[in-house]
Amino acid sequence: MSSLIQIKHKELVSCVGWTTADELYSCSEDHQIMKWNLLTCETTQVVKLPDDIYPIDLHWFPKSVGGKRQAQAESFVLTSSDGKFHLISKSGRVEKSVEAHCGAVLAGRWNYDGTALVTVGEDGQIKIWSKSGMLRSTLAQQGTPIYSVAWGPDSEKILYTSGKQLIIKPLQPNAKILQWKAHDGIILKVDWNSVNDLILSGGEDCKYKVWDSYGQLLYSSQSHEYPITSVAWTLDGELFAVGSFHTLRLCDKTGWSYALEKPNTGSLFNIAWSMDGTQLAGACGNGHVIFAHVVEQRWVWKNFEITLTKRRTMEVRNVLNDAVDLLEFRDRVIKASLNYGHLVVSTSLQCYIFSTKNWNTPLIFDLKEGTVSLISQAERHFLLVDGGGIYLYSYEGRLLSSPKFPGMRTDILNAQTVSLSNDTLAVRDKSDEKEIWNEQPGHRTGKGTTSLAGGG
């Protein structure tokens, strides 16, 4: 992981959020909202908030659901210390301010399809709001502040902190609540990944932990020197980042630590991953915003070992004769897969198909969206998944089909829920996990044996 620190704010930076894979908004106690463009390296002030608004949390409205762009996607919710949350447009205009809690609103999160907003506060209350800011319900009320909240993968449960306890509460009344002691100190941050269904927590006991959604402990870190102030999953659930005082750590989903940075930033109060999972931003206690990107990923197939050495460069090594080829890309590498004699690489704008017999002349085609979240290969063709849909391509770069099924959510598809063979594509349906959508070329059927019309 390599990092870069930028100073533009005069006070503590409380929260950050990505609008695209290369554009970030940051909010600070200096009342400024700044916009960072990582392609042009420009930083501009979006708006100076009123002096009585001290920002605490920021969350962008979901960009698309089931491949359809959301009308409200160019806006975000900002929670603040005066008990309000604010709905703010991308241009910085405050569209609505809502009195929400007694004391600070400590966190605010949209659910996955943008139909509901949850806020939690110093007053120990959890409230659910409509997307226009109308109060729907008060989900819970307790005597201690709730520092962090996350939606469950199906948007039907809420995970929140209660002192040293973690609580999962379903939205439906009278459903069973799950509660367990998770840390030996107050829990400061949680995150729940929609792909792997795993929960992250960090707290004042200076530890971070990984849990399954039944409250079973999967990993606990050693004690750090300082409290864990931020945790965040990548969208695909393969990696997570942990922030503490002068500390940024990168881990895989089992808790194994890949990298440790010691930036001179004070505490990292908030970490946000870009949508493509290649880089993160951190909100720092000393007014800095830190950017870090993931490098040194590896892919192995037969006698070939491929390493992402820089953001736009791969090194191919043939272990039989130690021959080395360098692959240079115009844009940042986002996903790659090596199998069946082919390397498939998606960058932020294009897809490259290399044959392992010839690394010099890849097939290249443009992508509609740059946020490819999954590449799955079979012997005769491969699959790309992005925010807009599922696409089946031949190794000659020809689009064979773009299957769809009712209620499809491409943001939660992963290697465990999608399987591809030479004649069939199978997708596990998240809305009913006993059902498989199974698609074969040339015929369509219903659930259980469903065709997505693919080429062989």
Side-chain angles (χ1 to χ4, degrees):
M1 190 164 65
S2 62
S3 59
L4 163 77
I5 298 168
Q6 298 275 2
I7 312 166
K8 295 290 175 185
H9 288 288
K10 299 177 184 69
E11 299 284 343
L12 175 153
V13 182
S14 54
C15 46
V16 287
W18 297 86
T19 58
T20 66
D22 293 294
E23 185 180 80
L24 181 94
Y25 277 42
S26 62
C27 300
S28 163
E29 290 189 353
D30 63 8
H31 312 290
Q32 290 188 96
I33 298 179
M34 304 294 286
K35 178 167 72 175
W36 308 74
N37 186 316
L38 269 64
L39 293 177
T40 61
C41 297
E42 290 178 328
T43 310
T44 51
Q45 185 191 73
V46 178
V47 69
K48 174 92 160 54
L49 296 166
D51 285 350
D52 59 342
I53 297 181
Y54 288 89
I56 295 176
D57 194 21
L58 170 163
H59 194 213
W60 282 91
F61 191 80
K63 275 209 165 350
S64 64
V65 174
K68 297 191 187 78
R69 262 192 93 72
Q70 298 268 67
Q72 206 176 319
E74 301 289 284
S75 65
F76 60 93
V77 62
L78 185 74
T79 72
S80 58
S81 58
D82 59 358
K84 296 178 185 173
F85 69 82
H86 313 272
L87 302 178
I88 302 178
S89 72
K90 193 175 179 184
S91 63
R93 193 156 65 98
V94 179
E95 305 283 357
K96 192 170 190 178
S97 294
V98 178
E99 293 273 0
H101 293 266
C102 294
V105 186
L106 297 175
R109 300 277 108 181
W110 296 107
N111 69 354
Y112 286 99
D113 60 6
T115 54
L117 170 73
V118 62
T119 61
V120 296
E122 278 184 326
D123 57 4
Q125 294 196 342
I126 301 174
K127 295 185 177 181
I128 308 290
W129 310 80
S130 72
K131 66 179 175 184
S132 60
M134 302 295 289
L135 180 63
R136 282 194 188 151
S137 64
T138 300
L139 194 66
Q141 198 159 355
Q142 60 180 44
T144 55
I146 300 168
Y147 288 102
S148 190
V149 68
W151 288 92
D154 54 7
S155 293
E156 290 174 7
K157 296 187 188 83
I158 299 282
L159 164 73
Y160 61 96
T161 69
S162 175
K164 302 172 186 179
Q165 309 267 323
L166 285 179
I167 300 173
I168 296 176
K169 184 173 172 62
L171 294 189
Q172 62 194 76
N174 306 320
K176 188 167 179 267
I177 296 169
L178 182 64
Q179 179 170 347
W180 71 97
K181 186 190 174 193
H183 287 261
D184 293 324
I186 290 172
I187 302 166
L188 299 175
K189 272 285 162 66
V190 293
D191 196 13
W192 193 348
N193 186 262
S194 67
V195 174
N196 63 29
D197 199 25
L198 299 181
I199 290 166
L200 271 177
S201 61
E204 288 190 345
D205 61 356
C206 307
K207 292 179 181 178
Y208 61 88
K209 299 185 181 186
V210 182
W211 310 86
D212 69 15
S213 55
Y214 301 100
Q216 297 294 313
L217 181 65
L218 303 179
Y219 177 82
S220 175
S221 74
Q222 300 294 315
S223 276
H224 287 58
E225 282 185 82
Y226 299 99
I228 303 298
T229 46
S230 51
V231 292
W233 285 109
T234 53
L235 210 59
D236 65 7
E238 291 299 316
L239 301 170
F240 66 86
V242 177
S244 182
F245 183 74
H246 289 346
T247 303
L248 175 62
R249 189 182 285 276
L250 177 70
C251 304
D252 77 358
K253 63 185 174 190
T254 65
W256 174 267
S257 183
Y258 279 134
L260 176 64
E261 297 278 325
K262 287 286 192 178
N264 188 24
T265 52
S267 291
L268 266 78
F269 289 110
N270 185 238
I271 292 172
W273 283 94
S274 62
M275 284 161 263
D276 58 25
T278 62
Q279 54 193 340
L280 62 79
C284 307
N286 61 355
H288 296 180
V289 173
I290 185 171
F291 295 95
H293 56 266
V294 179
V295 290
E296 294 295 321
Q297 288 169 281
R298 275 190 178 77
W299 298 265
V300 176
W301 181 75
K302 290 194 174 175
N303 51 304
F304 292 102
E305 183 183 62
I306 296 178
T307 307
L308 182 67
T309 53
K310 296 179 187 166
R311 304 173 80 186
R312 297 181 179 89
T313 307
M314 283 179 155
E315 182 183 277
V316 181
R317 185 167 162 264
N318 185 338
V319 297
L320 294 180
N321 58 10
D322 264 347
V324 172
D325 288 277
L326 282 184
L327 311 180
E328 301 277 356
F329 300 92
R330 192 186 70 187
D331 306 294
R332 184 176 69 249
V333 171
I334 290 172
K335 284 277 178 212
S337 179
L338 176 63
N339 218 332
Y340 300 107
H342 291 90
L343 170 69
V344 182
V345 179
S346 74
T347 69
S348 48
L349 295 173
Q350 295 175 309
C351 181
Y352 293 72
I353 306 166
F354 295 87
S355 166
T356 55
K357 294 171 185 166
N358 181 2
W359 298 105
N360 298 320
T361 52
L363 273 153
I364 306 171
F365 60 88
D366 291 339
L367 294 167
K368 287 182 192 167
E369 286 199 25
T371 52
V372 170
S373 56
L374 178 67
I375 303 173
S376 179
Q377 288 179 259
E379 188 182 357
R380 290 159 64 183
H381 41 234
F382 68 93
L383 190 75
L384 294 183
V385 177
D386 68 16
I390 299 174
Y391 308 95
L392 191 68
Y393 286 95
S394 71
Y395 286 112
E396 289 75 49
R398 188 163 58 89
L399 179 63
L400 302 173
S401 78
S402 179
K404 289 182 172 57
F405 59 86
M408 181 169 81
R409 268 184 62 192
T410 58
D411 59 315
I412 57 174
L413 296 180
N414 61 41
Q416 281 72 51
T417 57
V418 177
S419 186
L420 182 66
S421 73
N422 278 341
D423 58 7
T424 306
L425 164 65
V427 181
R428 193 172 76 186
D429 187 353
K430 188 71 181 173
S431 62
D432 183 352
E433 296 198 333
K434 293 176 182 157
E435 299 284 3
I436 302 285
W437 288 95
N438 160 19
E439 179 144 331
Q440 296 167 320
H443 65 86
R444 281 183 186 280
T445 40
K447 271 190 183 175
T449 53
T450 308
S451 92
L452 300 175

